[in-house]
Amino acid sequence: MRNVLVKCALAAVVLPGLLLTSLLAQTTKVASTPPMGWNSWNHFRDKIDDATVRAQADAMVSSGMRDAGYLYVNIDDTWEGERDAKGIIHPNTKFPDMKALADYVHGKGLKLGIYSSPGPKTCAKYEGSYGHEEQDAQTYADWGIDYLKYDLCGLRDMMKEAGSPEAAHKIMVDAYTKMHNALLKTGRPIVYSLCQYGNDAVWRWGASVGGNLWRTTGDISDRYARMADIGFSQAGIAKYAGPGHWNDPDMLEVGNGGMNAEEYRTHMSLWAILAAPLLAGNDLSKMTPETISLLTNHEVVAIDQDTAGIQGDRVSTEGPMEVWVRPLADGSKAVGLFNRHPQPMDMRVDFRQLGFNGPVKLHDVWTGNNSEAKNGEYQTRVPGHGVVLLRVSK
Ligand code: GLA
């Protein structure tokens, strides 16, 4: 009897672990590295339509972004139309034929993403998936959709009526699980992006509801202060990310014009160290050479997409100066020296404190300069709001 009890108790402990392992095996089939692509929201908001999405796909190819690794072309909120008598969702007049659009995007070697909410309404008050989860997942699969961003919004009203934080949490978790199961049932690999702004420490349970990525914060904007607030607040959650399941500090603002080049370099460098999804949020059809080079810097992208999938973390702060480190698959480390002050600052690092013994080789990712730190110590001037991003090896 005692044995049986022990076995039962063991099963209860082991089973959730096994379930989680098989869930992770499923989710790793997509997003084995952080998803890269583009999303319509940051730049276009509700001014998004079929022609604009095609133009973005064209530009993703002609600018070299596709070849740099950007793959997903994601339509955010405001595509949704009405449901028909059978409950099937149709796009509104801005998107006359979603399947034809998916075919077009696929024809360019890219993938198409879409957006919905577990609530009755999306954030922009369009039709959500509440009560139609399986139907919608199947519709997306029939169209050829490859990525779903599932944004809490409309469900929050129902959660407020739940009576307790625990009951509200359960409503949310059940809703995200329901859509995950619906997506699995279609048999089509679809990246599942949770968007609920980091509530209830989503990094702790996002993978267990099938999320390939989950937003960890509220919305980004095209301002240094907001980007920095979000990016530098990511310290401490690295252990929850890995192949198939990533922390998402929101989409990129590079190229939207509200930050200078140093600030956008900080944005790219920090997101790469964070193993963050790289979803451009600008108008790809109107990019300056500087914007293209910021987005496509292959060494920065390589850090973001490093196959070990270990998210970096903050190792030290001194006033506005922060050092962040990400271990990479080849044994080297990406080291970001970030200066959050508006004026330049001299920053010092002792690589011995970052796990290196003896001399180290330094490669400055943005300038391409190579140097050596013979005694393991290094000092450099970092521009205001800027970064020096190094690849450090023995
Ligand atoms: C929320 C999300 C944004 C965007 C909008 C669309 O604010 O966080 O990323 O999807 O909704 O309405």
Side-chain angles (χ1 to χ4, degrees), residues 41 76-77 115 123-124 149 151 195 197 215 219 251:
W41 186 254
D76 207 277
D77 206 352
Y115 167 102
C123 292
K149 173 173 168 183
D151 190 348
C195 177
Y197 338 113
R215 279 270 301 277
D219 289 11
M251 305 166 294

Side-chain angles (χ1 to χ4, degrees), residues 21 28 38 52 85 94 145 188 202 206 216 228 243 256 258 284 312 334 348:
T21 314
T28 314
W38 170 89
T52 309
K94 298 191 295 172
I145 296 293
R188 184 177 175 85
V202 62
T216 52
N256 278 332
L284 305 184
R348 274 187 294 274

